[in-house]
Structure formats: C-alpha cells, structure tokens
Amino acid sequence: MKTLLVYPRGWAIFNSPPLGIAYIAAYMREKGLDVELFDATFAPSLEQIFERIKKSNADIVAFSLLTRLLRDVRVLTKKIKEYRKDIVLVAGGPHATALPEECLSDYNFDIAVIGEGEETLTELVHVIETQKEQSSFVPQKPKVSVEKEKLEK
C-alpha cells in the first residue's frame, strides 16, 4: 500500500522544504511503509499537481493543510475522487487540527488527523491496509482521528 504525502502549492513564507511532512515520511519509512513525498509549493499548475498525484499510483493521499493553502485543495481533492473513488484522502496539519469537521465536509477528505501525524498516520495506514485486504474499508463521514495521548487523558 502506497502513501503520498502532499504539501499543497501556495505562497511560500520560507525558502525551505516542509519539514512536518518530511518528518512523517521519514518515520513511516522507518516503520517499513511505502511512502512518497511531494512538495508542490512551486508547482506551476493544478493540472501538473494532479498528474503527479495520478502518476504516484498511491492508495492514500495525505495533505498537510495550512489555511492559506486551501484555495487549490478543494479542486484537487474533487479531481482525485473523480479519478479514483478508492483513494483514501487524509487531511493533516494545522488546518485539519483546528477545523477537522470542515476538512471532512467541505474538502472531500475521508479522514482528518488532529495533532502530530507521525504515529497516527502510520497506524492509520496499517488499519486501512488490513481493511482493504479484507475488502471491508469504506470511508464514511465523519471520521476524525485523534492522537492516542489525547484520548487517554
């Protein structure tokens, strides 16, 4: 099962790679998962981003969301679901943490991850992989994933 982590295109504050999803990708690789990272910060068009997502042939596409980068996300997630309904779309990052319900209702995401994503997304991939192998995974809204520590408190 392949996961693609996407940092959407948009106005860049810093001239550095998006470290949050880089950390998540490194953690997932360390756990033996097939993960690819796509920094679309300077991508020239939505169509090129969409083609790159299609080319990855990922089963799970996870976006790191900042509110200021949402302009194109709605268009991309809609196109992805039209292309392949079985792709699981995951929202993460600051916007998903602050407004998970909005991500699920307004942006075509199947799952929203709240807080740090390394362990949560890794566990989520294992669950989806197991359920898809058993032909039992069907995303149903709303689904909000919360860090284990927050649930235990």
Side-chain angles (χ1 to χ4, degrees):
M1 172 155 295
K2 185 173 189 176
T3 303
L4 177 66
L5 304 178
V6 180
Y7 191 80
R9 78 177 184 157
W11 177 74
I13 295 176
F14 305 106
N15 190 15
S16 62
L19 292 179
I21 63 171
Y23 289 138
I24 293 170
Y27 184 85
M28 292 175 72
R29 285 183 185 131
E30 187 177 277
K31 299 297 180 186
L33 295 174
D34 184 7
V35 63
E36 194 174 320
L37 179 62
F38 176 38
D39 178 4
T41 301
F42 301 107
S45 73
L46 279 178
E47 194 55 40
Q48 286 182 330
I49 295 170
F50 179 62
E51 289 302 318
R52 172 67 178 74
I53 291 169
K54 283 176 27 180
K55 184 180 176 185
S56 76
N57 200 29
D59 302 289
I60 300 169
V61 178
F63 285 83
S64 179
L65 301 177
L66 295 171
T67 303
R68 65 181 172 75
L69 300 179
L70 289 175
R71 185 181 72 198
D72 295 339
V73 171
R74 181 179 283 131
V75 174
L76 281 171
T77 55
K78 183 175 187 246
K79 286 180 82 148
I80 291 167
K81 284 297 188 179
E82 288 170 354
Y83 166 67
R84 261 186 55 203
K85 289 185 187 316
D86 67 319
I87 292 178
V88 178
L89 294 177
V90 179
H95 189 84
T97 296
L99 298 166
E101 294 86 3
E102 177 185 281
C103 292
L104 297 171
S105 64
D106 296 350
Y107 292 94
N108 300 305
F109 286 101
D110 299 304
I111 300 166
V113 174
I114 298 170
E116 298 297 321
E118 289 88 347
E119 290 180 11
T120 305
L121 189 56
T122 299
E123 290 177 20
L124 184 62
V125 169
H126 287 301
V127 168
I128 293 169
E129 187 172 42
T130 300
Q131 290 182 350
K132 277 197 171 193
E133 286 171 1
Q134 299 170 355
S135 299
S136 63
F137 182 79
V138 179
Q140 298 176 2
K141 299 187 188 278
K143 287 191 186 232
V144 180
S145 177
V146 189
E147 291 179 74
K148 281 195 281 186
E149 298 85 43
K150 289 181 182 179
L151 288 173
E152 293 169 358
K153 290 182 183 176

